[in-house]
Amino acid sequence: MSDIDLIIERLEMRGHRITGSRRRVIDAILAQPAHFTVDDVLHSTRRTGRATVFRTMKLLTDLNLLCRVLLEGGQLHYRLSTRGHHHHLVCRDCGRVEDFSNCDVDGLVRQLARATDYDIEGHWLEVYGRCHACRLLKPSSAISGARP
Ligand SMILES: [Zn+2]
Ligand SMILES: [Zn+2]
Ligand SMILES: [Zn+2]
């Protein structure tokens, strides 16, 4: 199933109508690179109001069709996310983002819940590093004064 079909199916399953403006926002999102900002989507949906873009992106995020990626510099980007719970591996050199779904923090969460008496509802984990291509291009030993 293509991304657009999957998105439409999930919206309709949850009782959301696919209006023309919503469809334009979704099309703009599908045309973005691997990760993008709200502004990127605004730029490519000029005929659609800002509020509609924001509301549609929020809806898609709530339905787990979009996920947020925090880049190392602190910029919040979005990314298409049609799989379930996952985390990101972010290359701090080229900004490439990869998903990984073997989330292994359940033990930590249980331990934390016991220790703090919190009812823990979620977590967010990004892992930063340098991808294979960047490491080939510039081995760590060649970097003077590696960043902290
Ligand atoms: Zn993601
Ligand atoms: Zn890289
Ligand atoms: Zn996780």
Side-chain angles (χ1 to χ4, degrees):
M1 188 186 269
S2 68
D3 285 337
I4 184 72
D5 292 337
L6 195 122
I7 289 171
I8 288 174
E9 190 192 82
R10 264 205 234 174
L11 281 167
E12 285 179 338
M13 238 165 54
R14 304 283 286 265
H16 301 285
R17 282 197 321 122
I18 313 300
T19 59
S21 52
R22 246 180 207 163
R23 177 64 198 242
R24 279 195 292 277
V25 177
I26 294 168
D27 285 340
I29 285 170
L30 290 172
Q32 300 297 319
H35 54 87
F36 49 89
T37 62
V38 179
D39 281 342
D40 294 334
V41 180
L42 282 169
H43 282 304
S44 36
T45 51
R46 290 187 190 285
R47 289 185 305 137
T48 308
R50 287 178 73 85
T52 305
V53 173
F54 278 102
R55 271 202 305 267
T56 305
M57 287 184 71
K58 164 117 182 27
L59 177 64
L60 296 176
T61 307
D62 290 345
L63 293 177
N64 292 322
L65 290 164
L66 276 185
C67 59
R68 299 184 187 90
V69 189
L70 190 65
L71 298 193
E72 203 199 26
Q75 311 96 307
L76 194 61
H77 281 224
Y78 286 81
R79 177 168 164 84
L80 209 57
S81 153
T82 47
R83 309 185 301 148
H85 181 75
H86 67 281
H87 297 286
H88 303 121
L89 196 56
V90 182
C91 176
R92 65 181 211 199
D93 281 1
C94 67
R96 171 195 171 97
V97 174
E98 283 175 67
D99 296 342
F100 67 94
S101 47
N102 49 334
C103 170
D104 206 12
V105 303
D106 287 351
L108 172 71
V109 167
R110 270 198 301 274
Q111 201 183 2
L112 200 58
R114 265 201 308 274
T116 62
D117 201 24
Y118 261 61
D119 182 11
I120 293 176
E121 294 171 343
H123 63 264
W124 192 8
L125 173 74
E126 314 281 42
V127 177
Y128 301 99
R130 298 175 64 231
C131 71
H132 184 72
C134 288
R135 288 175 55 217
L136 282 181
L137 212 64
K138 203 167 57 170
S140 317
S141 57
I143 301 176
S144 53
R147 278 186 272 166

